[in-house]
């Protein structure tokens, strides 16, 4: 009788142990799922805000183009005014193409590897794309000008920008020229990306507002400007 009682108690303990283990696992999985869903929702919210900002910017740019077109129409017959408008457009095109040094207020993001996380091209690209989406006028990675043809990829223990390898073990400095009144909002919109890179990929990141940033023009020997094999179809 005593032996049977001992076996019964043992079985009860085993059953209780298994039940508690399953319950713990269920709670863990639910918490994990909730955490992932929270991150996903935050990402979607940030993307929605960025897309709305892009639409607003496109509408604003459309209005600017209309004004510029009207200015050219008004300058017909006035050579001096026409040349002035044309020079203004050429200067703007050189800035967009990255052919001239630029200066302005903005933010500087420093990205460093840690003992638990290494810098990869996709993290730098993610930050660069986010900065463009939040209306950064000009962006550079370690003073390498980012233009529309820029490629950012992984090399051997390096990140390659415009064909130039950069040591992945050393800090990366991402400069972005952003209007002063938009900087706080820009940093806020970058918040979720910065948090994910810190908490999930163990990178060391800092963000600093700067009154004056100088970003040099892109060098003519960069791979992004290598068009020697291209011809214009007539």
């Amino acid at each position: 009788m005593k032996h049977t009682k001992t076996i019964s108690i043992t079985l009860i303990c085993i059953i209780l142990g298994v039940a508690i283990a399953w319950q713990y696992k269920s709670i863990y999985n639910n918490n994990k799922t909730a955490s992932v869903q929270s991150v996903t929702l935050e990402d979607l919210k940030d993307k929605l805000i960025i897309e709305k900002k892009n639409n607003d910017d496109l509408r604003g740019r459309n209005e600017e183009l209309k004004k510029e077109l009207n200015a050219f129409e008004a300058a017909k017959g006035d050579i001096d005014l026409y040349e002035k408008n044309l020079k203004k457009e050429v200067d703007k095109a050189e800035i967009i193409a990255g052919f001239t040094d630029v200066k302005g207020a903005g933010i500087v993001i420093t990205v460093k590897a840690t003992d638990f996380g290494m810098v990869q091209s996709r993290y730098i690209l993610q930050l660069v794309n986010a900065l463009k989406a939040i209306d950064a006028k000009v962006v550079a990675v370690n003073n390498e000008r980012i233009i529309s043809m820029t490629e950012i990829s992984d090399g051997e223990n390096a990140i390659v920008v415009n064909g130039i390898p950069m040591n992945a073990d050393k800090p990366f400095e991402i400069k972005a020229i952003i209007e002063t009144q938009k900087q706080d909002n820009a940093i806020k919109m970058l918040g979720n990306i910065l948090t994910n890179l810190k908490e999930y990929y163990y990178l060391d990141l800092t963000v600093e507002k700067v009154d004056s940033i100088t970003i040099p023009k892109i060098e003519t020997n960069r791979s992004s400007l290598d068009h020697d094999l291209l011809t214009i179809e007539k």
Side-chain angles (χ1 to χ4, degrees):
M1 183 70 178
K2 185 177 180 181
H3 182 68
T4 302
K5 186 176 181 182
T6 301
I7 293 174
S8 299
I9 293 173
T10 302
L11 287 173
I12 291 171
C13 289
I14 291 172
I15 292 169
L16 284 174
V18 170
I20 291 170
W22 275 105
Q23 186 177 11
Y24 175 80
K25 185 176 181 180
S26 176
I27 292 171
Y28 172 79
N29 288 335
N30 288 338
N31 288 339
K32 186 176 180 181
T33 301
S35 176
V36 171
Q37 288 175 342
S38 176
V39 171
T40 303
L41 287 173
E42 285 298 320
D43 287 340
L44 289 174
K45 185 175 73 173
D46 287 347
K47 287 178 181 178
L48 183 61
I49 292 172
I50 289 172
E51 288 303 319
K52 185 178 182 302
K53 179 69 172 58
N54 287 341
N55 289 335
D56 292 341
D57 289 343
L58 287 173
R59 279 193 289 269
R61 181 56 182 155
N62 187 44
E63 291 300 318
E64 288 179 10
L65 290 172
K66 286 181 181 178
K67 290 179 182 178
E68 291 168 8
L69 181 60
N70 291 336
F72 275 105
E73 289 292 331
K76 283 182 177 179
D78 187 334
I79 298 300
D80 290 339
L81 180 57
Y82 186 84
E83 288 181 349
K84 182 179 178 181
N85 288 337
L86 188 59
K87 175 67 167 58
K88 183 179 178 181
E89 290 304 308
V90 170
D91 290 344
K92 187 184 296 184
E94 286 186 344
I95 291 174
I96 294 172
F99 292 155
T100 183
D101 297 349
V102 290
K103 185 177 181 180
I107 64 174
V108 178
I109 303 174
T110 304
V111 185
K112 298 178 183 178
T114 67
D115 291 339
F116 304 101
M118 65 179 294
V119 183
Q120 298 182 29
S121 64
R122 60 192 178 107
Y123 307 146
I124 300 299
L125 186 59
Q126 186 179 15
L127 289 168
V128 168
N129 287 340
L131 287 167
K132 288 180 179 180
I134 57 180
D135 204 25
K137 303 303 181 184
V138 182
V139 181
V141 177
N142 289 348
N143 276 334
E144 192 64 39
R145 184 77 161 263
I146 303 300
I147 63 173
S148 59
M149 298 295 289
T150 293
E151 290 187 0
I152 301 176
S153 59
D154 288 315
E156 187 175 350
N157 196 37
I159 293 174
V160 182
V161 181
N162 286 334
I164 304 300
M166 301 176 180
N167 192 331
D169 293 329
K170 293 185 177 180
F172 282 77
E173 188 176 72
I174 304 174
K175 296 179 181 178
I177 293 179
I178 301 174
E179 294 176 38
T180 303
Q181 63 270 27
K182 295 182 179 181
Q183 290 176 15
D184 288 334
N185 187 54
I187 293 172
K188 182 179 179 181
M189 293 180 71
L190 286 169
N192 194 50
I193 294 174
L194 297 174
T195 298
N196 285 346
L197 292 177
K198 285 180 180 179
E199 295 184 359
Y200 293 95
Y201 300 103
Y202 307 106
L203 298 178
D204 182 9
L205 292 101
T206 58
V207 183
E208 179 185 8
K209 292 192 290 185
V210 182
D211 293 333
S212 180
I213 296 174
T214 299
I215 295 180
K217 63 184 179 182
I218 187 169
E219 298 295 332
T220 56
N221 64 344
R222 296 304 190 243
S223 61
S224 301
L225 298 178
D226 187 6
H227 300 144
D228 293 343
L229 298 179
L230 301 179
T231 58
I232 298 175
E233 185 176 355
K234 297 181 180 179

